[in-house]
Amino acid sequence: MKKNVVFWVGVKSSDPLLNKKHGGFEYFQYSKNCWEYWCKKNNIIFYEYNTPLSEKNGTTWTRWFDVFPYLENENIDFDKICVVDGSTMIKWDAPNFFDECPNNKLTIFRALENLKWVYEGVQGYKNIFNNFDFDITKYIDCGFQIFDKSHKPFLNILEEYHDNNFNKIMECQNTIKRGTDQPIYNFLLQIHNINTHLGLSPAFMLNHLNRFDWLSHNWQLKTDTTPFFIKYGYIWKFSGFDRTQRQPLMKQTWDLIKQNYE
């Protein structure tokens, strides 16, 4: 029987500037601890992606180019694949989201937490897509997606576009500074009319925890200081703030909940 796969992206950069920007990559371990436990509990293959097959343009790009080749090269006969960032943590008792994902549809989450950032990115990249009429309300987050084999052609399209337009992409990336792969990925999704699925509960992708006050707790409950994101969310993405704060915040979270993963 085919199994589902969590393709966990945890590539550590040797670039000293990136290390400084991220405050190091020690936070990967807290993410990995959670995902390994959850996968084992739900009979899912945990696949650690830590070495790109190529160094085309950083991990945010190579994950899309490598996910199918890596699994195929290792003869992993999979049903669905969840590609997820190492900046996420999953709650120990989170439901199995694969059960809610239909075939032949890309399961995604919207990324509308910072509309100014999204708008500036879309406007900035529009010219290299002949001013395509992009629907900003359909902009998605590339940090958590669920594929099946029907989506391999789309990732091939993405790689081909990247290779054929590398200089244009890099010019936009270095001047607009509103994402790396994500704007291009979003434009190609809409241009090629890729069917998407939005049926998962928002609890499976809590992002910008500080912006939406998820880090707080109910101060009236004197005996329970559990942060809202742990109480009410299933997957927590530690983005939307100074990246140097990611490691200490994920460590604090792990220290608070680690007994649940034993």
Side-chain angles (χ1 to χ4, degrees):
M1 183 177 178
K2 295 179 182 178
K3 284 191 174 184
N4 295 313
V5 176
V6 165
F7 191 83
W8 179 81
V9 180
V11 180
K12 295 181 180 179
S13 174
S14 57
D15 185 336
L17 292 177
L18 275 178
N19 268 276
K20 183 178 180 181
K21 181 179 179 180
H22 287 264
F25 292 94
E26 291 83 1
Y27 64 85
F28 279 158
Q29 189 59 51
Y30 311 123
S31 174
K32 181 180 175 181
N33 291 344
C34 296
W35 281 104
E36 277 191 312
Y37 174 90
W38 184 85
C39 286
K40 184 177 181 180
K41 180 180 178 181
N42 290 278
N43 195 29
I44 292 164
I45 297 172
F46 175 83
Y47 192 96
E48 180 178 353
Y49 174 64
N50 55 26
T51 308
L53 290 172
S54 66
E55 290 292 344
K56 282 190 174 182
N57 192 8
T59 306
T60 55
W61 283 101
T62 60
R63 56 180 169 173
W64 308 125
F65 310 152
D66 291 352
V67 55
F68 280 98
Y70 253 120
L71 299 181
E72 291 168 354
N73 290 344
E74 298 198 23
N75 296 313
I76 297 175
D77 192 15
F78 54 89
D79 183 16
K80 293 182 176 64
I81 311 166
C82 171
V83 178
V84 65
D85 283 354
S87 61
T88 61
M89 297 174 76
I90 187 166
K91 193 175 181 180
W92 58 94
D93 59 354
N96 187 345
F97 49 76
F98 284 109
D99 294 339
E100 303 176 41
C101 301
N103 293 324
N104 304 316
K105 284 191 175 184
L106 182 64
T107 298
I108 51 87
F109 283 93
R110 295 282 180 245
L112 303 176
E113 299 91 354
N114 187 342
L115 281 175
K116 181 178 184 292
W117 189 94
V118 170
Y119 176 79
E120 290 174 351
V122 169
Q123 293 302 114
Y125 280 84
K126 233 178 181 181
N127 66 315
I128 66 173
F129 290 100
N130 298 315
N131 291 312
F132 175 78
D133 187 17
F134 187 90
D135 185 349
I136 198 170
T137 66
K138 295 181 179 179
Y139 193 92
I140 74 159
D141 186 327
C142 282
F144 177 92
Q145 293 183 58
I146 299 171
F147 303 86
D148 60 30
K149 292 179 182 178
S150 71
H151 300 111
K152 183 177 179 180
F154 171 70
L155 294 187
N156 289 338
I157 289 171
L158 180 68
E159 183 171 13
E160 183 178 358
Y161 186 89
H162 170 273
D163 293 349
N164 292 339
N165 299 276
F166 179 79
N167 291 333
K168 291 180 181 178
I169 293 171
M170 291 308 297
E171 182 180 355
C172 288
Q173 183 175 311
N174 292 329
T175 56
I176 300 161
K177 298 181 180 179
R178 291 295 181 265
T180 53
D181 62 310
Q182 191 161 279
I184 304 297
Y185 195 106
N186 269 276
F187 269 100
L188 292 178
L189 270 186
Q190 292 193 26
I191 289 170
H192 292 276
N193 294 311
I194 303 301
N195 287 329
T196 58
H197 172 64
L198 272 169
L200 290 184
S201 164
F204 282 106
M205 184 47 69
L206 296 190
N207 198 0
H208 287 239
L209 303 177
N210 57 329
R211 183 185 298 271
F212 297 104
D213 206 29
W214 284 110
L215 299 174
S216 298
H217 66 276
N218 190 335
W219 59 270
Q220 292 177 314
L221 300 178
K222 305 296 184 182
T223 59
D224 185 1
T225 59
T226 306
F228 291 136
F229 74 94
I230 294 176
K231 264 189 168 182
Y232 304 116
Y234 294 139
I235 295 175
W236 321 308
K237 186 176 181 184
F238 293 83
S239 293
F241 47 79
D242 182 348
R243 294 181 189 178
T244 60
Q245 299 305 305
R246 180 179 286 159
Q247 193 276 335
L249 184 54
M250 290 179 70
K251 182 182 186 302
Q252 289 174 35
T253 301
W254 175 247
D255 288 343
L256 184 64
I257 62 175
K258 60 186 178 182
Q259 68 277 2
N260 296 292
Y261 297 85
E262 296 174 351

